[in-house]
Short mmCIF file of all heavy atoms in Angstrom, two decimals:
data_model
loop_
_atom_site.label_atom_id
_atom_site.label_comp_id
_atom_site.label_asym_id
_atom_site.label_seq_id
_atom_site.Cartn_x
_atom_site.Cartn_y
_atom_site.Cartn_z
N ALA A 1 0.91 -1.01 -62.96
CA ALA A 1 0.43 -0.02 -62.01
C ALA A 1 1.63 0.56 -61.27
O ALA A 1 2.65 -0.10 -61.09
CB ALA A 1 -0.55 -0.65 -61.04
N THR A 2 1.46 1.80 -60.84
CA THR A 2 2.54 2.44 -60.10
C THR A 2 2.14 2.61 -58.63
O THR A 2 0.97 2.47 -58.28
CB THR A 2 2.88 3.83 -60.68
OG1 THR A 2 1.77 4.71 -60.45
CG2 THR A 2 3.21 3.75 -62.16
N ALA A 3 3.11 2.96 -57.82
CA ALA A 3 2.85 3.17 -56.40
C ALA A 3 1.84 4.29 -56.16
O ALA A 3 1.16 4.31 -55.14
CB ALA A 3 4.16 3.46 -55.67
N SER A 4 1.71 5.20 -57.13
CA SER A 4 0.76 6.31 -56.99
C SER A 4 -0.60 5.97 -57.60
O SER A 4 -1.42 6.86 -57.83
CB SER A 4 1.33 7.58 -57.61
OG SER A 4 1.62 7.35 -58.98
N ALA A 5 -0.84 4.68 -57.91
CA ALA A 5 -2.11 4.17 -58.45
C ALA A 5 -2.39 4.60 -59.88
O ALA A 5 -3.53 4.62 -60.32
CB ALA A 5 -3.28 4.55 -57.54
N HIS A 6 -1.35 4.91 -60.65
CA HIS A 6 -1.52 5.20 -62.07
C HIS A 6 -1.33 3.91 -62.86
O HIS A 6 -0.62 3.00 -62.43
CB HIS A 6 -0.48 6.22 -62.54
CG HIS A 6 -0.72 7.60 -62.03
ND1 HIS A 6 -0.32 8.01 -60.79
CD2 HIS A 6 -1.34 8.66 -62.61
CE1 HIS A 6 -0.67 9.27 -60.62
NE2 HIS A 6 -1.30 9.68 -61.70
N SER A 7 -1.97 3.84 -64.04
CA SER A 7 -1.76 2.68 -64.91
C SER A 7 -1.78 3.13 -66.36
O SER A 7 -2.27 4.22 -66.68
CB SER A 7 -2.84 1.62 -64.67
OG SER A 7 -4.11 2.13 -65.01
N ILE A 8 -1.23 2.30 -67.22
CA ILE A 8 -1.15 2.60 -68.65
C ILE A 8 -1.23 1.27 -69.40
O ILE A 8 -0.76 0.24 -68.91
CB ILE A 8 0.17 3.35 -68.97
CG1 ILE A 8 0.19 3.82 -70.42
CG2 ILE A 8 1.38 2.50 -68.64
CD1 ILE A 8 1.34 4.78 -70.71
N SER A 9 -1.86 1.29 -70.58
CA SER A 9 -1.93 0.10 -71.43
C SER A 9 -1.23 0.42 -72.75
O SER A 9 -1.56 1.41 -73.39
CB SER A 9 -3.38 -0.29 -71.72
OG SER A 9 -4.02 -0.71 -70.55
N LEU A 10 -0.28 -0.42 -73.12
CA LEU A 10 0.52 -0.21 -74.33
C LEU A 10 0.74 -1.54 -75.04
O LEU A 10 0.64 -2.59 -74.42
CB LEU A 10 1.89 0.38 -73.97
CG LEU A 10 1.92 1.70 -73.23
CD1 LEU A 10 3.32 1.97 -72.71
CD2 LEU A 10 1.48 2.81 -74.14
N THR A 11 1.11 -1.46 -76.32
CA THR A 11 1.55 -2.66 -77.00
C THR A 11 2.97 -2.97 -76.52
O THR A 11 3.66 -2.07 -76.00
CB THR A 11 1.55 -2.49 -78.54
OG1 THR A 11 2.52 -1.50 -78.90
CG2 THR A 11 0.17 -2.09 -79.06
N PRO A 12 3.43 -4.20 -76.68
CA PRO A 12 4.76 -4.57 -76.17
C PRO A 12 5.91 -3.73 -76.74
O PRO A 12 6.93 -3.57 -76.09
CB PRO A 12 4.92 -6.03 -76.60
CG PRO A 12 3.53 -6.53 -76.76
CD PRO A 12 2.73 -5.36 -77.25
N PHE A 13 5.73 -3.17 -77.95
CA PHE A 13 6.83 -2.44 -78.57
C PHE A 13 6.70 -0.92 -78.49
O PHE A 13 7.56 -0.20 -78.99
CB PHE A 13 7.00 -2.90 -80.02
CG PHE A 13 7.44 -4.33 -80.09
CD1 PHE A 13 6.52 -5.33 -80.37
CD2 PHE A 13 8.76 -4.69 -79.83
CE1 PHE A 13 6.91 -6.66 -80.41
CE2 PHE A 13 9.15 -6.03 -79.87
CZ PHE A 13 8.22 -7.02 -80.16
N HIS A 14 5.63 -0.40 -77.85
CA HIS A 14 5.55 1.04 -77.61
C HIS A 14 6.73 1.44 -76.74
O HIS A 14 7.09 0.73 -75.79
CB HIS A 14 4.26 1.40 -76.87
CG HIS A 14 3.14 1.78 -77.75
ND1 HIS A 14 2.17 0.90 -78.15
CD2 HIS A 14 2.83 2.97 -78.31
CE1 HIS A 14 1.30 1.53 -78.92
NE2 HIS A 14 1.68 2.78 -79.03
N LEU A 15 7.33 2.58 -77.05
CA LEU A 15 8.44 3.06 -76.23
C LEU A 15 7.90 3.86 -75.06
O LEU A 15 6.99 4.68 -75.21
CB LEU A 15 9.38 3.92 -77.07
CG LEU A 15 10.09 3.19 -78.20
CD1 LEU A 15 10.95 4.16 -79.00
CD2 LEU A 15 10.92 2.04 -77.68
N VAL A 16 8.46 3.61 -73.89
CA VAL A 16 8.03 4.30 -72.68
C VAL A 16 9.27 4.76 -71.91
O VAL A 16 10.27 4.05 -71.84
CB VAL A 16 7.11 3.39 -71.81
CG1 VAL A 16 7.82 2.14 -71.37
CG2 VAL A 16 6.55 4.14 -70.64
N GLY A 17 9.19 5.98 -71.38
CA GLY A 17 10.31 6.52 -70.61
C GLY A 17 10.30 6.00 -69.19
O GLY A 17 9.30 6.13 -68.49
N VAL A 18 11.40 5.39 -68.78
CA VAL A 18 11.52 4.88 -67.41
C VAL A 18 12.82 5.39 -66.79
O VAL A 18 13.77 5.72 -67.49
CB VAL A 18 11.51 3.33 -67.34
CG1 VAL A 18 10.22 2.76 -67.88
CG2 VAL A 18 12.69 2.73 -68.06
N SER A 19 12.80 5.46 -65.49
CA SER A 19 14.01 5.80 -64.74
C SER A 19 14.39 4.56 -63.95
O SER A 19 13.56 3.97 -63.27
CB SER A 19 13.72 6.97 -63.80
OG SER A 19 14.84 7.25 -63.00
N ARG A 20 15.64 4.16 -64.07
CA ARG A 20 16.13 2.98 -63.34
C ARG A 20 17.23 3.41 -62.38
O ARG A 20 18.14 4.14 -62.77
CB ARG A 20 16.68 1.93 -64.31
CG ARG A 20 15.57 1.34 -65.15
CD ARG A 20 16.02 0.18 -65.99
NE ARG A 20 14.85 -0.41 -66.63
CZ ARG A 20 14.88 -1.06 -67.76
NH1 ARG A 20 16.02 -1.24 -68.40
NH2 ARG A 20 13.77 -1.56 -68.26
N ASP A 21 17.15 2.97 -61.15
CA ASP A 21 18.16 3.28 -60.14
C ASP A 21 18.35 4.79 -59.97
O ASP A 21 19.48 5.26 -59.81
CB ASP A 21 19.49 2.61 -60.48
CG ASP A 21 19.36 1.11 -60.60
OD1 ASP A 21 18.61 0.52 -59.81
OD2 ASP A 21 20.01 0.53 -61.49
N ASN A 22 17.24 5.55 -60.05
CA ASN A 22 17.28 7.02 -59.88
C ASN A 22 18.22 7.70 -60.86
O ASN A 22 18.85 8.70 -60.53
CB ASN A 22 17.64 7.39 -58.44
CG ASN A 22 16.58 6.96 -57.47
OD1 ASN A 22 15.39 7.04 -57.77
ND2 ASN A 22 16.98 6.48 -56.31
N ARG A 23 18.32 7.15 -62.05
CA ARG A 23 19.18 7.76 -63.07
C ARG A 23 18.30 8.46 -64.10
O ARG A 23 17.11 8.57 -63.95
CB ARG A 23 20.04 6.70 -63.73
CG ARG A 23 21.00 6.09 -62.73
CD ARG A 23 21.97 5.20 -63.40
NE ARG A 23 22.85 4.63 -62.37
CZ ARG A 23 23.81 3.81 -62.62
NH1 ARG A 23 24.03 3.41 -63.84
NH2 ARG A 23 24.54 3.34 -61.65
N THR A 24 18.91 8.90 -65.16
CA THR A 24 18.18 9.60 -66.21
C THR A 24 17.12 8.72 -66.85
O THR A 24 17.20 7.50 -66.80
CB THR A 24 19.14 10.00 -67.35
OG1 THR A 24 20.45 9.61 -67.06
CG2 THR A 24 19.13 11.44 -67.60
N THR A 25 16.16 9.38 -67.46
CA THR A 25 15.09 8.66 -68.16
C THR A 25 15.64 8.03 -69.43
O THR A 25 16.36 8.68 -70.19
CB THR A 25 13.94 9.63 -68.51
OG1 THR A 25 13.41 10.15 -67.30
CG2 THR A 25 12.84 8.92 -69.27
N ILE A 26 15.33 6.76 -69.64
CA ILE A 26 15.67 6.06 -70.88
C ILE A 26 14.36 5.55 -71.49
O ILE A 26 13.38 5.36 -70.78
CB ILE A 26 16.65 4.90 -70.65
CG1 ILE A 26 16.06 3.87 -69.68
CG2 ILE A 26 17.99 5.41 -70.18
CD1 ILE A 26 16.88 2.59 -69.57
N PHE A 27 14.35 5.35 -72.78
CA PHE A 27 13.15 4.85 -73.45
C PHE A 27 13.36 3.39 -73.83
O PHE A 27 14.35 3.05 -74.49
CB PHE A 27 12.82 5.71 -74.67
CG PHE A 27 12.33 7.07 -74.26
CD1 PHE A 27 13.21 8.10 -74.01
CD2 PHE A 27 10.97 7.29 -74.08
CE1 PHE A 27 12.75 9.35 -73.60
CE2 PHE A 27 10.50 8.52 -73.67
CZ PHE A 27 11.40 9.55 -73.44
N VAL A 28 12.45 2.54 -73.36
CA VAL A 28 12.53 1.11 -73.61
C VAL A 28 11.18 0.62 -74.14
O VAL A 28 10.15 1.25 -73.87
CB VAL A 28 12.89 0.33 -72.33
CG1 VAL A 28 14.26 0.75 -71.80
CG2 VAL A 28 11.84 0.49 -71.26
N PRO A 29 11.16 -0.50 -74.87
CA PRO A 29 9.87 -1.08 -75.26
C PRO A 29 9.07 -1.43 -74.00
O PRO A 29 9.65 -1.86 -72.99
CB PRO A 29 10.26 -2.34 -76.03
CG PRO A 29 11.67 -2.12 -76.46
CD PRO A 29 12.29 -1.27 -75.39
N ALA A 30 7.77 -1.26 -74.04
CA ALA A 30 6.91 -1.52 -72.88
C ALA A 30 7.13 -2.91 -72.30
O ALA A 30 7.05 -3.10 -71.09
CB ALA A 30 5.45 -1.30 -73.25
N LYS A 31 7.43 -3.90 -73.16
CA LYS A 31 7.63 -5.26 -72.67
C LYS A 31 8.87 -5.39 -71.77
O LYS A 31 9.02 -6.38 -71.07
CB LYS A 31 7.71 -6.25 -73.83
CG LYS A 31 8.95 -6.11 -74.69
CD LYS A 31 8.95 -7.11 -75.82
CE LYS A 31 10.25 -7.04 -76.59
NZ LYS A 31 10.35 -8.12 -77.55
N GLU A 32 9.74 -4.37 -71.75
CA GLU A 32 10.94 -4.42 -70.92
C GLU A 32 10.81 -3.63 -69.62
O GLU A 32 11.77 -3.54 -68.85
CB GLU A 32 12.14 -3.91 -71.72
CG GLU A 32 12.50 -4.82 -72.88
CD GLU A 32 13.68 -4.30 -73.69
OE1 GLU A 32 14.43 -3.42 -73.21
OE2 GLU A 32 13.86 -4.79 -74.83
N VAL A 33 9.64 -3.04 -69.36
CA VAL A 33 9.43 -2.32 -68.11
C VAL A 33 9.41 -3.35 -66.97
O VAL A 33 8.75 -4.38 -67.07
CB VAL A 33 8.12 -1.51 -68.14
CG1 VAL A 33 7.84 -0.90 -66.78
CG2 VAL A 33 8.20 -0.43 -69.20
N LYS A 34 10.16 -3.07 -65.89
CA LYS A 34 10.30 -4.02 -64.79
C LYS A 34 9.79 -3.42 -63.49
O LYS A 34 9.74 -2.19 -63.34
CB LYS A 34 11.78 -4.39 -64.59
CG LYS A 34 12.49 -4.88 -65.81
CD LYS A 34 13.93 -5.23 -65.49
CE LYS A 34 14.76 -3.97 -65.33
NZ LYS A 34 16.19 -4.20 -65.34
N LEU A 35 9.47 -4.29 -62.54
CA LEU A 35 9.14 -3.83 -61.20
C LEU A 35 10.31 -3.01 -60.67
O LEU A 35 11.48 -3.39 -60.85
CB LEU A 35 8.86 -5.00 -60.27
CG LEU A 35 7.68 -5.90 -60.64
CD1 LEU A 35 7.54 -7.02 -59.61
CD2 LEU A 35 6.39 -5.10 -60.74
N GLY A 36 10.01 -1.88 -60.07
CA GLY A 36 11.07 -1.02 -59.54
C GLY A 36 11.47 0.10 -60.47
O GLY A 36 12.03 1.10 -60.04
N ASP A 37 11.21 -0.04 -61.80
CA ASP A 37 11.41 1.08 -62.71
C ASP A 37 10.46 2.19 -62.25
O ASP A 37 9.43 1.92 -61.63
CB ASP A 37 11.05 0.71 -64.15
CG ASP A 37 12.06 -0.19 -64.83
OD1 ASP A 37 13.18 -0.34 -64.30
OD2 ASP A 37 11.74 -0.72 -65.90
N SER A 38 10.77 3.43 -62.58
CA SER A 38 9.87 4.53 -62.25
C SER A 38 9.35 5.18 -63.53
O SER A 38 10.10 5.33 -64.50
CB SER A 38 10.59 5.58 -61.41
OG SER A 38 10.81 5.10 -60.11
N LEU A 39 8.06 5.53 -63.51
CA LEU A 39 7.44 6.26 -64.61
C LEU A 39 7.13 7.67 -64.12
O LEU A 39 6.81 7.87 -62.95
CB LEU A 39 6.13 5.58 -65.03
CG LEU A 39 6.22 4.14 -65.49
CD1 LEU A 39 4.82 3.62 -65.83
CD2 LEU A 39 7.12 4.03 -66.70
N ARG A 40 7.23 8.64 -65.01
CA ARG A 40 6.84 10.01 -64.66
C ARG A 40 5.34 10.13 -64.80
O ARG A 40 4.77 9.79 -65.83
CB ARG A 40 7.53 11.00 -65.59
CG ARG A 40 9.02 11.01 -65.35
CD ARG A 40 9.51 12.39 -65.18
NE ARG A 40 10.84 12.33 -64.61
CZ ARG A 40 11.76 13.21 -64.86
NH1 ARG A 40 11.49 14.21 -65.65
NH2 ARG A 40 12.92 13.11 -64.29
N VAL A 41 4.69 10.61 -63.74
CA VAL A 41 3.23 10.77 -63.72
C VAL A 41 2.90 12.13 -63.11
O VAL A 41 3.74 12.74 -62.45
CB VAL A 41 2.55 9.65 -62.89
CG1 VAL A 41 2.86 8.27 -63.47
CG2 VAL A 41 2.96 9.70 -61.43
N VAL A 42 1.67 12.57 -63.35
CA VAL A 42 1.19 13.80 -62.72
C VAL A 42 0.36 13.42 -61.51
O VAL A 42 -0.59 12.65 -61.61
CB VAL A 42 0.36 14.65 -63.70
CG1 VAL A 42 -0.20 15.88 -62.99
CG2 VAL A 42 1.19 15.07 -64.90
N SER A 43 0.75 13.92 -60.36
CA SER A 43 0.04 13.63 -59.11
C SER A 43 -0.15 14.95 -58.36
O SER A 43 0.84 15.63 -58.06
CB SER A 43 0.84 12.64 -58.28
OG SER A 43 0.18 12.35 -57.07
N GLU A 44 -1.39 15.28 -58.09
CA GLU A 44 -1.73 16.53 -57.38
C GLU A 44 -1.10 17.73 -58.06
O GLU A 44 -0.57 18.63 -57.40
CB GLU A 44 -1.33 16.43 -55.91
CG GLU A 44 -2.07 15.32 -55.17
CD GLU A 44 -1.69 15.21 -53.71
OE1 GLU A 44 -0.89 16.03 -53.20
OE2 GLU A 44 -2.18 14.26 -53.07
N GLY A 45 -1.12 17.73 -59.40
CA GLY A 45 -0.63 18.87 -60.16
C GLY A 45 0.87 18.95 -60.32
O GLY A 45 1.39 19.91 -60.89
N ARG A 46 1.59 17.94 -59.85
CA ARG A 46 3.05 17.92 -59.96
C ARG A 46 3.51 16.68 -60.71
O ARG A 46 2.90 15.62 -60.60
CB ARG A 46 3.72 17.91 -58.58
CG ARG A 46 3.45 19.15 -57.76
CD ARG A 46 4.16 19.14 -56.41
NE ARG A 46 4.06 17.85 -55.74
CZ ARG A 46 5.06 17.25 -55.10
NH1 ARG A 46 6.24 17.78 -55.06
NH2 ARG A 46 4.87 16.09 -54.51
N VAL A 47 4.61 16.79 -61.45
CA VAL A 47 5.21 15.64 -62.12
C VAL A 47 6.15 14.97 -61.13
O VAL A 47 7.04 15.62 -60.57
CB VAL A 47 5.97 16.06 -63.40
CG1 VAL A 47 6.65 14.85 -64.03
CG2 VAL A 47 5.03 16.73 -64.39
N ILE A 48 5.92 13.67 -60.91
CA ILE A 48 6.75 12.91 -59.97
C ILE A 48 7.18 11.60 -60.61
O ILE A 48 6.58 11.16 -61.59
CB ILE A 48 6.01 12.60 -58.65
CG1 ILE A 48 4.77 11.73 -58.92
CG2 ILE A 48 5.62 13.88 -57.93
CD1 ILE A 48 4.13 11.13 -57.67
N ASP A 49 8.22 10.98 -60.09
CA ASP A 49 8.61 9.63 -60.48
C ASP A 49 7.86 8.67 -59.56
O ASP A 49 7.93 8.80 -58.34
CB ASP A 49 10.11 9.41 -60.33
CG ASP A 49 10.92 10.09 -61.42
OD1 ASP A 49 10.35 10.36 -62.49
OD2 ASP A 49 12.10 10.37 -61.20
N SER A 50 7.14 7.71 -60.16
CA SER A 50 6.38 6.75 -59.36
C SER A 50 6.83 5.34 -59.71
O SER A 50 6.79 4.93 -60.87
CB SER A 50 4.88 6.92 -59.67
OG SER A 50 4.11 6.12 -58.80
N PRO A 51 7.28 4.57 -58.73
CA PRO A 51 7.79 3.22 -58.98
C PRO A 51 6.70 2.28 -59.52
O PRO A 51 5.55 2.32 -59.09
CB PRO A 51 8.25 2.73 -57.62
CG PRO A 51 8.43 3.96 -56.80
CD PRO A 51 7.43 4.95 -57.32
N VAL A 52 7.11 1.42 -60.46
CA VAL A 52 6.22 0.39 -61.00
C VAL A 52 6.13 -0.72 -59.96
O VAL A 52 7.15 -1.24 -59.51
CB VAL A 52 6.77 -0.17 -62.34
CG1 VAL A 52 5.95 -1.36 -62.82
CG2 VAL A 52 6.82 0.92 -63.39
N ILE A 53 4.89 -1.06 -59.57
CA ILE A 53 4.69 -2.10 -58.56
C ILE A 53 3.98 -3.33 -59.13
O ILE A 53 3.88 -4.35 -58.45
CB ILE A 53 3.92 -1.57 -57.33
CG1 ILE A 53 2.55 -1.04 -57.73
CG2 ILE A 53 4.74 -0.51 -56.60
CD1 ILE A 53 1.64 -0.73 -56.55
N GLN A 54 3.48 -3.21 -60.37
CA GLN A 54 2.79 -4.36 -60.98
C GLN A 54 2.85 -4.22 -62.50
O GLN A 54 2.66 -3.13 -63.04
CB GLN A 54 1.34 -4.39 -60.53
CG GLN A 54 0.54 -5.56 -61.02
CD GLN A 54 -0.88 -5.55 -60.47
OE1 GLN A 54 -1.38 -4.52 -60.01
NE2 GLN A 54 -1.52 -6.68 -60.53
N VAL A 55 3.12 -5.34 -63.18
CA VAL A 55 3.12 -5.39 -64.64
C VAL A 55 2.24 -6.56 -65.05
O VAL A 55 2.43 -7.68 -64.58
CB VAL A 55 4.55 -5.58 -65.21
CG1 VAL A 55 4.51 -5.73 -66.72
CG2 VAL A 55 5.46 -4.43 -64.79
N ASN A 56 1.26 -6.28 -65.89
CA ASN A 56 0.34 -7.32 -66.38
C ASN A 56 0.36 -7.35 -67.89
O ASN A 56 0.55 -6.32 -68.54
CB ASN A 56 -1.10 -7.02 -65.95
CG ASN A 56 -1.29 -7.07 -64.46
OD1 ASN A 56 -0.66 -7.86 -63.78
ND2 ASN A 56 -2.13 -6.21 -63.96
N GLU A 57 0.11 -8.53 -68.45
CA GLU A 57 -0.06 -8.66 -69.89
C GLU A 57 -1.56 -8.81 -70.16
O GLU A 57 -2.24 -9.59 -69.49
CB GLU A 57 0.68 -9.89 -70.41
CG GLU A 57 0.66 -10.00 -71.91
CD GLU A 57 1.53 -11.13 -72.41
OE1 GLU A 57 2.63 -11.32 -71.86
OE2 GLU A 57 1.10 -11.81 -73.34
N GLU A 58 -2.06 -8.03 -71.11
CA GLU A 58 -3.48 -8.06 -71.44
C GLU A 58 -3.66 -8.27 -72.94
O GLU A 58 -2.80 -7.91 -73.72
CB GLU A 58 -4.16 -6.72 -71.11
CG GLU A 58 -4.02 -6.27 -69.69
CD GLU A 58 -4.65 -4.90 -69.49
OE1 GLU A 58 -4.29 -3.96 -70.23
OE2 GLU A 58 -5.50 -4.80 -68.61
N MET A 59 -4.81 -8.82 -73.29
CA MET A 59 -5.20 -8.91 -74.70
C MET A 59 -6.41 -8.00 -74.87
O MET A 59 -7.41 -8.17 -74.18
CB MET A 59 -5.57 -10.34 -75.07
CG MET A 59 -4.40 -11.30 -75.03
SD MET A 59 -3.20 -10.99 -76.31
CE MET A 59 -4.04 -11.69 -77.70
N LYS A 60 -6.29 -7.01 -75.76
CA LYS A 60 -7.38 -6.08 -76.00
C LYS A 60 -7.61 -5.96 -77.50
O LYS A 60 -6.70 -6.19 -78.29
CB LYS A 60 -7.05 -4.69 -75.44
CG LYS A 60 -6.99 -4.63 -73.94
CD LYS A 60 -6.78 -3.20 -73.49
CE LYS A 60 -6.87 -3.09 -71.99
NZ LYS A 60 -6.77 -1.68 -71.55
N GLN A 61 -8.82 -5.57 -77.87
CA GLN A 61 -9.12 -5.29 -79.27
C GLN A 61 -9.15 -3.79 -79.46
O GLN A 61 -9.55 -3.05 -78.57
CB GLN A 61 -10.47 -5.89 -79.65
CG GLN A 61 -10.45 -7.39 -79.70
CD GLN A 61 -11.78 -7.95 -80.21
OE1 GLN A 61 -12.70 -7.22 -80.52
NE2 GLN A 61 -11.85 -9.25 -80.29
N GLY A 62 -8.73 -3.35 -80.62
CA GLY A 62 -8.78 -1.92 -80.91
C GLY A 62 -7.72 -1.53 -81.91
O GLY A 62 -7.15 -2.36 -82.61
N ILE A 63 -7.46 -0.25 -81.94
CA ILE A 63 -6.49 0.31 -82.88
C ILE A 63 -5.13 0.37 -82.20
O ILE A 63 -5.02 0.65 -81.01
CB ILE A 63 -6.95 1.72 -83.30
CG1 ILE A 63 -8.30 1.63 -83.99
CG2 ILE A 63 -5.92 2.38 -84.18
CD1 ILE A 63 -8.94 2.97 -84.28
N TYR A 64 -4.09 0.14 -82.97
CA TYR A 64 -2.74 0.26 -82.44
C TYR A 64 -1.86 0.91 -83.49
O TYR A 64 -2.21 0.98 -84.67
CB TYR A 64 -2.18 -1.09 -82.01
CG TYR A 64 -1.99 -2.06 -83.14
CD1 TYR A 64 -0.76 -2.20 -83.76
CD2 TYR A 64 -3.04 -2.84 -83.61
CE1 TYR A 64 -0.58 -3.08 -84.81
CE2 TYR A 64 -2.86 -3.73 -84.65
CZ TYR A 64 -1.64 -3.85 -85.26
OH TYR A 64 -1.46 -4.71 -86.28
N ALA A 65 -0.73 1.42 -83.07
CA ALA A 65 0.22 2.10 -83.96
C ALA A 65 1.55 1.35 -83.90
O ALA A 65 2.33 1.57 -83.00
CB ALA A 65 0.40 3.55 -83.55
N PRO A 66 1.79 0.44 -84.86
CA PRO A 66 3.04 -0.33 -84.81
C PRO A 66 4.25 0.53 -85.10
O PRO A 66 4.18 1.50 -85.86
CB PRO A 66 2.84 -1.38 -85.90
CG PRO A 66 1.88 -0.77 -86.85
CD PRO A 66 0.97 0.11 -86.02
N LEU A 67 5.35 0.19 -84.48
CA LEU A 67 6.63 0.83 -84.74
C LEU A 67 7.36 -0.03 -85.76
O LEU A 67 7.57 -1.22 -85.53
CB LEU A 67 7.44 0.92 -83.44
CG LEU A 67 8.82 1.55 -83.51
CD1 LEU A 67 8.70 3.02 -83.90
CD2 LEU A 67 9.52 1.42 -82.18
N THR A 68 7.71 0.56 -86.90
CA THR A 68 8.37 -0.21 -87.95
C THR A 68 9.75 0.39 -88.24
O THR A 68 10.01 1.55 -87.91
CB THR A 68 7.55 -0.21 -89.26
OG1 THR A 68 7.53 1.12 -89.79
CG2 THR A 68 6.14 -0.70 -89.01
N THR A 69 10.59 -0.38 -88.88
CA THR A 69 11.92 0.13 -89.22
C THR A 69 11.88 1.13 -90.37
O THR A 69 12.81 1.90 -90.56
CB THR A 69 12.85 -1.05 -89.62
OG1 THR A 69 12.27 -1.76 -90.69
CG2 THR A 69 13.10 -1.96 -88.44
N THR A 70 10.78 1.14 -91.11
CA THR A 70 10.67 2.07 -92.25
C THR A 70 9.81 3.29 -91.94
O THR A 70 9.57 4.12 -92.81
CB THR A 70 10.06 1.36 -93.48
OG1 THR A 70 8.78 0.82 -93.13
CG2 THR A 70 10.98 0.24 -93.96
N GLY A 71 9.31 3.40 -90.71
CA GLY A 71 8.49 4.55 -90.34
C GLY A 71 7.02 4.30 -90.66
O GLY A 71 6.61 3.20 -90.96
N THR A 72 6.24 5.37 -90.62
CA THR A 72 4.82 5.26 -90.91
C THR A 72 4.49 6.06 -92.15
O THR A 72 5.20 7.00 -92.51
CB THR A 72 3.97 5.78 -89.73
OG1 THR A 72 4.33 7.14 -89.48
CG2 THR A 72 4.20 4.95 -88.49
N LYS A 73 3.42 5.71 -92.81
CA LYS A 73 3.02 6.42 -94.04
C LYS A 73 1.56 6.76 -93.99
O LYS A 73 0.78 6.15 -93.39
CB LYS A 73 3.32 5.58 -95.27
CG LYS A 73 4.80 5.37 -95.45
CD LYS A 73 5.08 4.60 -96.71
CE LYS A 73 6.58 4.43 -96.80
NZ LYS A 73 7.02 3.90 -98.03
#
């Protein structure tokens, strides 16, 4: 969850853009997102950086898109 009350659910290896220490956006696996990282979100019609205030691990059933070294087919 972010400070602006946004949340997202991803597999551990999905790439997500984060900003660390107010620097440029880098893409890291979701499992490496840390408290204090910022995610870009839309709030009141504007794109803002919102700090991550909570990280949870969940088990869900459904469809997923694995990232492989050979790509997808």
Side-chain angles (χ1 to χ4, degrees):
T2 67
S4 59
H6 289 83
S7 64
I8 187 170
S9 293
L10 302 168
T11 65
F13 294 101
H14 266 96
L15 296 178
V16 61
V18 299
S19 176
R20 292 188 173 153
D21 302 322
N22 294 322
R23 296 188 181 179
T24 359
T25 298
I26 59 171
F27 289 87
V28 298
K31 68 180 185 172
E32 294 179 16
V33 173
K34 306 181 285 194
L35 298 180
D37 286 347
S38 288
L39 301 178
R40 293 230 165 149
V41 300
V42 176
S43 180
E44 298 180 4
R46 296 182 315 138
V47 177
I48 62 168
D49 286 337
S50 187
V52 173
I53 60 170
Q54 184 178 18
V55 176
N56 296 325
E57 186 174 320
E58 304 177 305
M59 294 291 283
K60 292 185 174 185
Q61 290 185 0
I63 299 172
Y64 64 96
L67 179 64
T68 67
T69 57
T70 58
T72 58
K73 294 184 181 189

